[in-house]
Amino acid sequence: MSDSYRTEEEQVEALKAWWRENGKSTLVAIALAVMGVFGWQGWQKQQQADQSTASAIYQNLLTAANGDNGQATLAQIATANHLADTLKADYTGTTYAHFAALYKAKFAVDDNDLNAAAAELQWVLDNGAIDEVRIQARLRLAKVLLAEGQMDEAMKLTVGENKGYSAAFSEVKGDILAAQGDSVGALSVYQQARDIAATGEGGQSLLINLKIQQLENAQQSDENQTGNDESAANDSAKKGDV
């Protein structure tokens, strides 16, 4: 208390007056602080519990998806799809849910349902997946859109952060150009993809080399055909002169 109070009685009375004016707000502040601490601890425990439950569901999903000896039955795929739906609905913000959607996209592709696969991959992109998972989803979605004939939309997905998957994205870009009839552009991009893959930046070097060889053979065949046509035209012209 302040030194201006000359007696203990005055100090006590001043304390009582202060408490009447400020006591309730002080208790509320203390209560809120305590609630904040316990609320944060409770939230952390709930998050840990959610992660643990989501992890268990995802493990069951993997077991069903892998099936017996790596070959899942229709019933096991149905179970895996159901578990994936549960993760997406109840644990949306977790990486387990995002991987579950990737599995659903795979099942859809296996079932030749490209629209459903595209929807699952777009869901991953729209629901806060970590960067690496987003990159995988973009890559797979580009392939699905290419298969659906949506060349422009597929090409847009090849632009952006591709860390660790640069060769794979370049390969898809080459596939799109090849599908559009630009064999020269496709060959150039495939060669870039091959060079990137050699550094370990993702991509299947053997498959890329095969695509390069096919385009080079096709171009060589075209050049040979052009040469034959020109030779035939020259021979015809000479005969005409005679």
Side-chain angles (χ1 to χ4, degrees), residues 129-167:
I130 61 175
D131 287 345
E132 184 171 352
V133 177
R134 285 181 59 82
I135 291 172
Q136 290 185 38
R138 274 179 44 233
L139 177 62
R140 298 181 191 188
L141 182 55
K143 293 180 179 181
V144 169
L145 293 178
L146 170 59
E148 288 188 310
Q150 299 185 49
M151 310 296 182
D152 292 339
E153 294 303 313
M155 185 65 81
K156 290 177 184 177
L157 291 170
T158 65
V159 179
E161 175 58 49
N162 302 326
K163 185 177 181 181
Y165 296 86
S166 297

Side-chain angles (χ1 to χ4, degrees), residues 45-88:
K45 289 180 180 179
Q46 183 60 47
Q47 288 293 101
Q48 292 171 355
D50 287 348
Q51 287 287 338
S52 179
T53 303
S55 175
I57 295 173
Y58 185 71
Q59 288 301 318
N60 289 334
L61 186 160
L62 291 180
T63 299
N66 291 329
D68 301 320
N69 299 319
Q71 186 65 41
T73 64
L74 291 177
Q76 288 171 323
I77 292 174
T79 297
N81 264 314
H82 172 72
L83 293 171
D85 287 336
T86 299
L87 286 170
K88 288 178 60 184

Side-chain angles (χ1 to χ4, degrees), residues 24-38:
K24 290 183 179 179
S25 60
T26 301
L27 287 175
V28 170
I30 293 172
L32 289 175
V34 171
M35 288 172 61
V37 170
F38 283 103

Side-chain angles (χ1 to χ4, degrees), residues 191-208:
Q191 290 169 337
Q192 293 175 13
R194 177 191 58 194
D195 295 341
I196 296 171
T199 68
E201 270 286 308
Q204 303 179 49
S205 299
L206 183 61
L207 183 57
I208 294 172

Side-chain angles (χ1 to χ4, degrees), residues 106-143:
K106 176 185 181 301
F107 297 146
V109 169
D110 291 342
D111 201 33
N112 201 33
D113 190 348
L114 298 182
N115 285 335
E120 293 296 338
L121 295 168
Q122 189 62 54
W123 185 90
V124 175
L125 296 177
D126 293 340
N127 282 277
I130 61 175
D131 287 345
E132 184 171 352
V133 177
R134 285 181 59 82
I135 291 172
Q136 290 185 38
R138 274 179 44 233
L139 177 62
R140 298 181 191 188
L141 182 55
K143 293 180 179 181

